[in-house]
Amino acid sequence: MLELIAPLVVANNTKIVLLSLDGLGGLPRPETGRSELETARLPNLSRLASTSACGLIRHVAPGITPGSGPGHLGLFGYDPLRYLVGRGVLEALGIEFDLRGGDVAARGNFCTVDGSGFITDRRAGRISTEACIRLAERLRAIRLPGVETFVEPVREHRFVLVLRGADLGGKLSETDPQALGRPPLPVRPLDPASAPTAALVNRFVTDAERLLHDAAPANMILLRGFDQLPELPRFPSVFGLRAAAIAAYPMYRGLARLVGMDVLKTGSSFTDEVATLRRHWDEYDFFFVHYKDTDKAGEDGDFDAKVAALERFDAVLPEIEALRPDVLVVTGDHATPSILAAHGWQPVPVLVHGRYGGADAVDAFTERACTAGSLGTMPAFHLMPLVMANALRLTKFGA
Amino acid sequence: MLELIAPLVVANNTKIVLLSLDGLGGLPRPETGRSELETARLPNLSRLASTSACGLIRHVAPGITPGSGPGHLGLFGYDPLRYLVGRGVLEALGIEFDLRGGDVAARGNFCTVDGSGFITDRRAGRISTEACIRLAERLRAIRLPGVETFVEPVREHRFVLVLRGADLGGKLSETDPQALGRPPLPVRPLDPASAPTAALVNRFVTDAERLLHDAAPANMILLRGFDQLPELPRFPSVFGLRAAAIAAYPMYRGLARLVGMDVLKTGSSFTDEVATLRRHWDEYDFFFVHYKDTDKAGEDGDFDAKVAALERFDAVLPEIEALRPDVLVVTGDHATPSILAAHGWQPVPVLVHGRYGGADAVDAFTERACTAGSLGTMPAFHLMPLVMANALRLTKFGA
């Protein structure tokens, strides 16, 4: 798709705003038969839907629940089945670690092992973040020949390990046996180029075991999701857009940076984000604006909080419309139904508002209403081409 | 898709008519909120829609605006992303030049250069077609070793250059720098096999420059869209159909000939085309009938003229129904929304009428109504298999 689009891109001065409500989609609450979107009072989204082309977005494939990486890559126009981002890389992006090409990143857990070295708790009793910071500091003493190592605490028992050096390989097996009563596994290289890196990581684990022997319950580590930064086509080059990301949460800033967007400094609330949008309006053609509250409420299984988060978003929406973007898109990176209290596989509502998008019979921005929209149920990576067309930034294909 | 279909084809004596309304799809006019199809009085299309399976057709991919080539190849069952037709070839087809396998065709422009050879007008002030004919005649004096050259005027500043000979290669860069104040570029071969052809074309350009030196504003040429006839599976063989094309405009006759249809001699109006259809009814299994007026009005940005063109088509439709085709398809090769005054990327309504197609709730042939049709929004190249099935010309797949 990117190969098809890039040669068709033409210059224009139109402005595009892509609003991603994290975990937007939901499911009916059994008591009422109405989803979060169907329960919330959303006058602005309803009005916008009734003058937009609506539909549903599927980020990966039917039945597949997207993580935040694939969810956002899809929205940015990348087929998430083709462009894979490893868990270690995502974890590093999530703490805005300055990951560089060639670095190998892994997601780490502190864990508990017994006297025989068998795992008794894969999460070390979810130690406090403070303990995690202290123990990560201890692991920083480990020196490996020829590479720099970084140990970055994340939250509770989680940390990120990064190796930086020449000729590292990220195709490595995991040390986590995903079961109790067994010892951590040694790392094996999954391709020949990763063999020296595997030896380095095994040495790191041995040193860590020694340094942590008195730190129970966090007396050992597990490493998984080894990967290197993927080589992604750069979003601004592919689409010919000066592109900016506005996101209060580091993970989404990291994902935007991964595809080459400028990441704008902003505050911690959605109102801050909209102020940032307004302040930088003239400098960019494309804005990705991320709204986190919907996902947080959904993950907590808090239906009412998700309804409230949607209503808060709706109240701010007119401020974004007032900037008069040529194309305004409202959608999400995946569903987080409150009754599931987790990411879901359900397709997510989308609306594309612009002069040339056409409207359809949809007059509410809900899962059910959008099913009848003119956009149908489409793969997420088809969204950007559609948005580009609506912004009159694509020429025709073939004479 | 073609590889899947061909072995399933079985004989039958059913008749298929595919009516392609060029630029059929539209968009709501802001004043009324209704598209051209929603504004026109179309009693026959509405009646037909209410007893047909309806849907929308996407010719290339979401957001991608099809040119006439990809638009029609899709309707004929060919994936336009797999079967590419170069601009030079299309231009030659558009004037019904007898392009043969191995010929290299390019689209030519007369242009203006200043005393230093720098381009000052890429279209030579859009010289008259008469001037174009006269200057093309002048270029016919150019002789190249070992190849025949054809210079065919098209319209205003446009002409077609064709080289015919053994072992020519069509992978050539363009001479048009797409900017003023720069000299035309030399042609470069884009693969080794095209190197001798590049040398011949450069020699042609040098000779043209000399022959045109006193012909300002048309004192130079630009060449682009070099290509050779693609090797397309032949439509009559793939689908086992005696297939005829009826089109008043040369471009569409050329596209039909490209896939191996018989092109029937017809007049310049749609009524002429329908008379041709009636006259040849017994000789063919499949008729592609092209209606141009909708596209012309849309390209002119003339909403009312497009409405009138749709109503004229609707009035003639019963004459086609009276022939009692087993499968009657009404659709288009792309949208040409009047408010866009150009080809658009929007999916295009389709109806498939036949004994076994099933109907759905759709009772109007409009963009919005067809969104809810039983065919959904489908790639254009899925249409022919569906039509073949409706004509009981495909056996089942697998035992």
Side-chain angles (χ1 to χ4, degrees), chain A residues 191-211:
Chain A
D191 68 7
S194 300
T197 311
L200 289 169
V201 172
N202 284 323
R203 186 157 158 184
F204 182 90
V205 173
T206 308
D207 286 2
E209 186 172 20
R210 190 173 40 76
L211 288 170

Side-chain angles (χ1 to χ4, degrees), chain A residues 8-27:
Chain A
L8 301 179
V9 170
V10 292
N12 204 331
N13 56 7
T14 46
K15 299 252 185 217
I16 301 166
V17 175
L18 170 61
L19 300 175
S20 171
L21 284 74
D22 205 303
L24 170 63
L27 282 173

Side-chain angles (χ1 to χ4, degrees), chain A residues 5 356 373 382 385 389 396-399, chain B residues 27 62-65 67-68 70 345-346:
Chain A
I5 293 299
Y356 306 108
H382 284 172
K396 70 183 166 190
F397 172 76
Chain B
L27 281 174
I64 306 300
T65 295
S68 297
W345 58 91
Q346 299 80 5

Side-chain angles (χ1 to χ4, degrees), chain A residues 1 4-5 8 355-361 372-376 378 382-383 385-392 394-399, chain B residues 27-28 56 58 60-70 80-81 84-87 90 251 299 339-340 343 345-347 368 371 377:
Chain A
M1 189 51 66
L4 171 64
I5 293 299
L8 301 179
R355 191 185 300 263
Y356 306 108
D360 47 33
S374 59
L375 301 181
M378 67 176 178
H382 284 172
L383 179 63
L386 192 64
V387 166
M388 289 289 290
N390 272 276
L392 303 184
L394 292 182
T395 187
K396 70 183 166 190
F397 172 76
Chain B
L27 281 174
L56 293 169
R58 186 171 276 143
V60 184
I64 306 300
T65 295
S68 297
L81 290 174
L84 303 171
V85 184
R87 187 177 279 265
L90 275 176
M251 166 71 84
E299 292 261 15
I339 65 165
L340 201 56
H343 287 202
W345 58 91
Q346 299 80 5
R368 222 176 306 223
T371 300
T377 299

Side-chain angles (χ1 to χ4, degrees), chain A residues 27-51:
Chain A
L27 282 173
R29 168 185 246 176
E31 296 82 351
T32 64
R34 289 205 304 274
S35 74
E36 298 90 331
L37 277 166
E38 289 169 337
T39 305
R41 283 199 60 253
L42 305 170
N44 295 307
L45 276 169
S46 298
R47 174 180 42 74
L48 204 56
S50 67
T51 54

